[in-house]
Amino acid sequence: GSIILSCITTMTIEDSATVAASGIDAAVESREATLGRILSEKYNVKEESLIQALVALGEATSHITLHLQNYVKHSYAGSQNASGDEQLELDIQCDKAVFDAVRASGVFHTVASEETPEETKVSGDDDDGRAVYSLGCDPLDGSSIIDANFSVGSIYGIWPGKKLLGRSGREQVAAAVALYGPRTVLCVALPGTPKNQVFEVTLVRNRTEWEVSRESIQIEPKGKVFAPGNLRATTDHENYSKMMQYWIQNRYQLRYSGGMVPDVYHIFAKSKGIFTNVSSPTAKAKLRLLYEVAPIGLIVECSGGEAIHEAEDKSVLDIVIEDCDQRTGVCFGSKDEVAKYKEFMF
């Protein structure tokens, strides 16, 4: 315990120095104003509280960008998360960035993350009823590939009310994914406002402003691009093995990095394709429903794609979240490609 406390204390001191040197806090108003205007004026978001919530996620994303750009030590914190994964110091820094941003916003009541996997109250006792949302998130998706300097991401799902358990992804009022690569981009889904809207903003001008970079993201019905996760499962899942052979024999393009966010984001960027993560008796499901599957599933469906459970014709948005660590296999993507998946798998 003392070792972990010492690591966290050291990280806090180093974080403060990095933030101060970057000047990132001097541009808070500019980032908040540009993203707020995009949401209210271009995408007609009427609820001020939802604008504040999404702006807070923009701030979390901006600070995570800073941490990633200054990540040089590749060191572990000496602790494990609830899933048994060794935590990088970077995991803890990114988790803190999200919690700091949502606390500062005042509109979130409850947060649960992959690194803090329990419903955690973040609103003050005197929030005056302003804390109207709950957040399920994965602040750093792809920490296992980050040492190779691959693109990684953050995943955010916003639910109305003060709890996350017992809810379904269908109840989300918004979802977003951040992708950290040569650019930092944030893809936002707004269901039924009055129509489903999905768009992308990019962090520009030395992390001082957000600018719309894709006005609308729509997934086309067909697309011969595939990202097959958990391929170990093909050794004892005959249908998944046959599905894989179909993609290869029909000359689909492989676009797979091992990071869920960049692999699904490729579908958003190219407007087509399929992403799968299938389990088997010896290769268990890894994706968390609350932190990863439900938020990304909402973005996929809002952009015209399908997001289904790996083994039944059921939207992942209709699965009730019973536990913060609940896991499931998935198939996301173009409708016709998902239909072909169903032919092989069900």
Side-chain angles (χ1 to χ4, degrees):
S2 60
I3 294 174
I4 296 171
L5 180 60
S6 175
C7 286
I8 293 173
T9 302
T10 301
M11 280 191 294
T12 302
I13 294 169
E14 292 177 349
D15 289 352
S16 298
T18 299
V19 169
S22 72
I24 193 170
D25 286 343
V28 172
E29 289 186 9
S30 175
R31 287 191 301 273
E32 292 183 341
T34 51
L35 185 52
R37 282 197 299 271
I38 288 167
L39 291 165
S40 63
E41 296 175 10
K42 189 170 183 63
Y43 293 97
N44 202 33
V45 179
K46 300 297 187 184
E47 299 86 354
E48 182 62 29
S49 59
L50 184 56
I51 293 173
Q52 291 174 340
L54 289 165
V55 163
L57 299 185
E59 279 304 290
T61 298
S62 301
H63 280 78
I64 290 171
T65 299
L66 181 64
H67 290 309
L68 292 171
Q69 291 172 343
N70 289 275
Y71 173 59
V72 295
K73 290 188 175 180
H74 307 269
S75 53
Y76 288 91
S79 57
Q80 294 180 329
N81 62 21
S83 303
D85 301 324
E86 291 290 331
Q87 290 179 305
L88 292 169
E89 289 184 0
L90 186 62
D91 285 314
I92 297 174
Q93 289 172 332
C94 295
D95 198 55
K96 182 178 183 297
V98 173
F99 273 80
D100 286 350
V102 298
R103 282 194 175 100
S105 74
V107 296
F108 287 96
H109 181 277
T110 301
V111 178
S113 74
E114 187 165 340
E115 305 306 322
T116 308
E118 58 186 3
E119 292 183 306
T120 304
K121 185 174 182 291
V122 292
S123 62
D125 294 330
D126 56 346
D127 64 32
D128 299 325
R130 289 181 61 237
V132 293
Y133 299 117
S134 292
L135 176 71
C137 63
D138 185 353
L140 181 59
D141 180 73
S143 55
S144 65
I145 60 173
I146 195 168
D147 283 350
N149 207 24
F150 283 13
S151 292
V152 294
S154 300
I155 308 171
Y156 310 106
I158 303 175
W159 278 262
K162 300 181 178 182
K163 68 172 189 171
L164 295 162
L165 299 183
R167 316 291 294 274
S168 73
R170 189 75 62 190
E171 298 175 61
Q172 292 171 99
V173 295
V177 292
L179 180 66
Y180 310 99
R183 300 174 296 136
T184 292
V185 294
L186 188 67
C187 177
V188 179
L190 300 168
T193 52
K195 61 180 181 178
N196 294 337
Q197 299 184 101
V198 182
F199 62 93
E200 177 195 87
V201 292
T202 298
L203 189 61
V204 296
R205 299 177 185 88
N206 197 28
R207 300 187 300 264
T208 63
E209 297 180 0
W210 290 98
E211 185 174 310
V212 176
S213 43
R214 285 190 173 94
E215 291 190 357
S216 178
I217 293 174
Q218 287 290 317
I219 300 174
E220 298 168 3
K222 297 179 183 293
K224 297 176 74 170
V225 180
F226 73 124
N230 205 23
L231 277 182
R232 296 184 190 90
T234 59
T235 62
D236 58 343
H237 193 312
E238 184 180 359
N239 287 348
Y240 195 30
S241 180
K242 290 179 179 178
M243 181 81 260
M244 184 71 184
Q245 290 304 312
Y246 171 85
W247 289 324
I248 294 171
Q249 291 166 6
N250 285 272
R251 301 175 66 84
Y252 278 56
Q253 288 185 310
L254 177 66
R255 291 292 182 267
Y256 183 74
S257 71
M260 185 182 187
V261 170
D263 292 339
V264 176
Y265 212 102
H266 190 268
I267 297 174
F268 300 148
K270 299 297 184 180
S271 301
K272 61 184 179 181
I274 187 168
F275 168 89
T276 56
N277 195 292
V278 175
S279 63
S280 74
T282 61
K284 303 300 183 183
K286 294 182 178 180
L287 301 180
R288 282 79 170 178
L289 179 60
L290 172 59
Y291 313 128
E292 299 165 314
V293 172
I296 292 184
L298 183 72
I299 301 172
V300 170
E301 289 201 3
C302 283
S303 55
E306 280 196 54
I308 64 167
H309 184 271
E310 62 170 322
E312 59 180 315
D313 192 2
K314 178 179 183 178
S315 170
V316 297
L317 299 183
D318 295 323
I319 303 172
V320 176
I321 302 163
E322 305 287 359
D323 183 270
C324 286
D325 194 49
Q326 185 175 341
R327 306 182 189 202
T328 186
V330 301
C331 175
F332 292 163
S334 297
K335 286 187 174 181
D336 289 359
E337 305 304 331
V338 174
K340 180 62 67 174
Y341 171 92
K342 294 175 188 178
E343 290 179 21
F344 276 84
M345 299 296 289
F346 301 164

